């Protein structure tokens, strides 16, 4: 059963995320033979009719090797300069290696705004779609040269998940130096077990993700689980596997160690996929238990169930919805701006007209604009943006 799920040629469109440490050696630079083997795997998948997109890290790691920058954390402007140098080398390496299989590579560099603003999101999606139609393999990375702390993903795990949902991929493969999700930290806990299959990302599963990150890779298990939430909610399966062996995709198919995350049963609509994957909600609404029950049964969020309004947001902005336990349970588009929301929070719908001086809409967040992001329980609200803007490399 699990084996069938890991048969990559059963998928239609696959996004493969490759961590920096796989592609770059701090001393010698690009690991060419690994890259060539990877491209052979990609060519084999494409020959079976699978569309492939690559999210490749390594620009900063490569650039710092070329520029001979010291070990340890880089300042933002050093990372940006390293990325500028490294991205050229990286893209050329992919292009050359894929061309030996008669595959044309196309480079796409994205910033957070390209996935978080709907107009730019649709534009980026259209370009990637066109590349795929032309038979090209998109090689995607964050545009680290211009991304500042505030507006950057900082890790390619979540970027890859956003790309996967953007293009309607049915599988996201995260290749790094970690071969899957363990029940505990494998280097500390001798009883830690690798989970072959994760049916749903519950709070227990989230608790298993530590925060580890090596010098070359930004994302630890935490960002991989965040990626899993973005992907699986949108109906895209995810595999975490080690990229260390040469031909890592072939290794997954041959039954090598990996964790497979099931896609959500009913994929949400494209609009809801976009809402659920937003990384920077403009604010949040804390709701009571009654409203939480109503939301879980597919109803809209009414002002009466809102206990607290946080942040400053305008109507139509994405906001997080915090359940009675203090954990985020949903995301949605605000029906009111923050100031109005504060005035009508806790009030009956009939009172809205009197308070606001006009007959507003009944729902604070309409059910068509609302998507549950956590099963019962959910994750801690303050964790939801974790990892954003971190600079490790
Ligand atoms: N975008 C970064 C780079 O190419 C990598 C981010 C990550 O390691 O996740 O260097």
């Amino acid at each position: 059963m699990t084996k069938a799920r890991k048969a990559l040629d059963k998928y239609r469109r696959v996004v493969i995320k490759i961590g920096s440490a796989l592609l770059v050696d701090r001393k010698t630079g690009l690991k060419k033979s690994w890259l060539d083997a990877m491209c052979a795997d990609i060519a084999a998948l494409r020959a079976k009719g699978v569309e492939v997109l690559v999210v490749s890290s390594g620009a900063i790691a490569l650039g710092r090797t070329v520029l001979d920058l010291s070990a340890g954390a880089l300042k933002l402007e050093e990372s940006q300069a390293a990325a500028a140098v490294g991205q050229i080398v990286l893209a050329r390496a992919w292009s050359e290696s894929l061309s030996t299989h008669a595959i044309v590579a196309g480079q796409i560099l994205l910033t957070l705004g390209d996935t978080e603003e709907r107009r730019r999101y649709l534009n980026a999606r259209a370009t990637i779609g066109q590349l795929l139609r032309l038979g090209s393999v998109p090689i995607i990375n964050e545009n680290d040269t211009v991304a500042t702390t505030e507006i950057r993903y900082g890790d390619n795990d979540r970027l890859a998940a956003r790309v996967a949902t953007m293009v309607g991929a049915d599988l996201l493969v995260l290749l790094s130096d970690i071969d899957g999700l363990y029940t505990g930290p494998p280097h500390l806990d001798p009883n830690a077990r690798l989970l072959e299959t994760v049916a749903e990302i519950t709070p227990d599963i989230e608790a298993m993700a530590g925060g580890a990150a090596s010098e070359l890779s930004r994302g630890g298990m935490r960002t991989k689980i965040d990626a899993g939430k973005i992907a699986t909610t949108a109906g895209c399966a995810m595999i975490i596997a080690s990229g260390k062996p040469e031909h890592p995709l072939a290794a997954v198919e041959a039954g090598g160690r990996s964790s497979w995350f099931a896609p959500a049963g009913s994929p949400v609509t494209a609009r809801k996929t976009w809402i659920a994957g937003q990384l920077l909600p403009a604010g949040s609404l804390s709701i009571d238990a009654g409203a939480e029950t109503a939301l879980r049964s597919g109803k809209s969020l009414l002002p009466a169930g809102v206990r607290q309004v946080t942040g400053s947001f305008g109507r139509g902005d994405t906001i997080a919805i915090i359940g009675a336990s203090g954990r985020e349970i949903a995301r949605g588009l605000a029906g009111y701006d923050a100031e109005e929301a504060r005035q009508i929070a806790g009030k009956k719908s009939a009172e809205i007209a009197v308070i606001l001086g006009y007959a507003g809409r009944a729902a604070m967040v309409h059910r068509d604009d609302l998507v549950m992001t956590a099963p019962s329980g959910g994750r801690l609200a303050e964790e939801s943006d974790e990892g954003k803007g971190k600079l490790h490399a």
Side-chain angles (χ1 to χ4, degrees), residues 53-391:
L53 299 92
V54 175
V55 173
S56 175
S57 303
I60 297 175
L62 259 178
R64 69 184 296 162
T65 308
V66 175
L67 293 169
D68 209 11
L69 297 174
S70 58
L74 294 181
K75 296 200 204 81
L76 177 63
E77 49 290 9
E78 288 174 323
S79 299
Q80 291 173 321
V85 170
Q87 184 62 36
I88 295 184
V89 182
L90 187 65
R92 192 178 62 193
W94 276 107
S95 171
E96 282 178 4
S97 188
L98 283 171
S99 73
T100 63
H101 302 277
I103 296 173
V104 176
Q107 173 183 261
I108 303 266
L109 298 177
L110 296 172
T111 49
L112 198 57
D114 297 318
T115 60
E116 307 306 281
E117 269 175 48
R118 188 138 176 94
R119 188 178 48 81
R120 285 163 66 184
Y121 170 91
L122 295 173
N123 186 37
R125 186 172 72 170
T127 309
I128 296 174
Q130 186 62 36
L131 273 174
L132 290 172
R133 272 191 294 283
L134 292 170
S136 167
V137 169
I139 305 293
I140 301 162
N141 196 359
E142 183 160 18
N143 194 353
D144 295 304
T145 55
V146 294
T148 59
T149 314
E150 289 307 306
I151 55 142
R152 77 202 307 264
Y153 276 90
D155 69 89
N156 276 0
D157 294 325
R158 295 179 308 158
L159 174 67
R162 282 303 256 158
V163 167
T165 64
M166 183 190 257
V167 302
D170 45 4
L171 178 67
L172 166 65
V173 183
L174 300 181
L175 296 177
S176 70
D177 46 7
I178 309 167
D179 56 4
L181 175 67
Y182 285 80
T183 52
H187 54 291
L188 299 175
D189 177 2
N191 297 322
R193 264 184 319 109
L194 180 126
L195 295 174
E196 284 276 342
T197 302
V198 177
E200 186 182 23
I201 302 180
T202 59
D204 282 351
I205 292 290
E206 291 197 62
M208 290 172 194
S214 74
E215 194 191 316
L216 281 183
S217 64
R218 299 206 174 152
M221 195 47 79
R222 176 80 251 164
T223 57
K224 291 183 174 44
I225 297 300
D226 282 348
K229 295 190 75 155
I230 295 171
T232 59
T233 308
C236 175
M238 182 174 90
I239 289 176
I240 298 178
S242 170
K244 280 183 185 161
E246 282 201 354
H247 299 289
L249 296 184
V252 169
E253 294 206 272
R257 290 166 72 76
S258 60
S259 295
W260 182 86
F261 292 70
S266 54
V268 288
T269 63
R271 177 182 174 77
K272 291 197 174 192
T273 297
W274 181 74
I275 295 171
Q278 289 269 292
L279 296 178
L280 300 171
S284 64
L285 301 176
S286 300
I287 65 171
D288 62 26
E292 181 169 339
T293 309
L295 256 53
R296 291 201 182 282
S297 63
K299 302 222 169 74
S300 296
L301 175 63
L302 301 180
V306 177
R307 290 203 302 214
Q308 204 192 336
V309 178
T310 312
S312 66
F313 48 86
R315 197 178 136 193
D317 282 347
T318 303
I319 48 176
I321 296 173
I322 314 299
S325 67
R327 290 162 183 270
E328 180 189 314
I329 56 160
R331 296 234 163 139
L333 302 183
Y336 285 95
D337 64 30
E339 204 179 310
E340 289 178 330
R342 284 193 181 91
Q343 293 176 46
I344 60 173
K347 303 288 195 276
K348 299 238 161 49
S349 298
E351 298 172 75
I352 295 178
V354 181
I355 298 170
L356 297 180
Y358 71 95
R361 29 178 73 189
M364 192 80 108
V365 179
H366 192 271
R367 63 201 193 108
D368 291 346
D369 298 332
L370 192 124
V371 48
M372 304 309 291
T373 50
S376 321
R379 59 181 161 169
L380 280 173
E382 57 272 23
E383 284 171 6
S384 61
D385 284 337
E386 206 195 340
K388 139 189 123 194
K390 270 196 206 150
L391 284 179

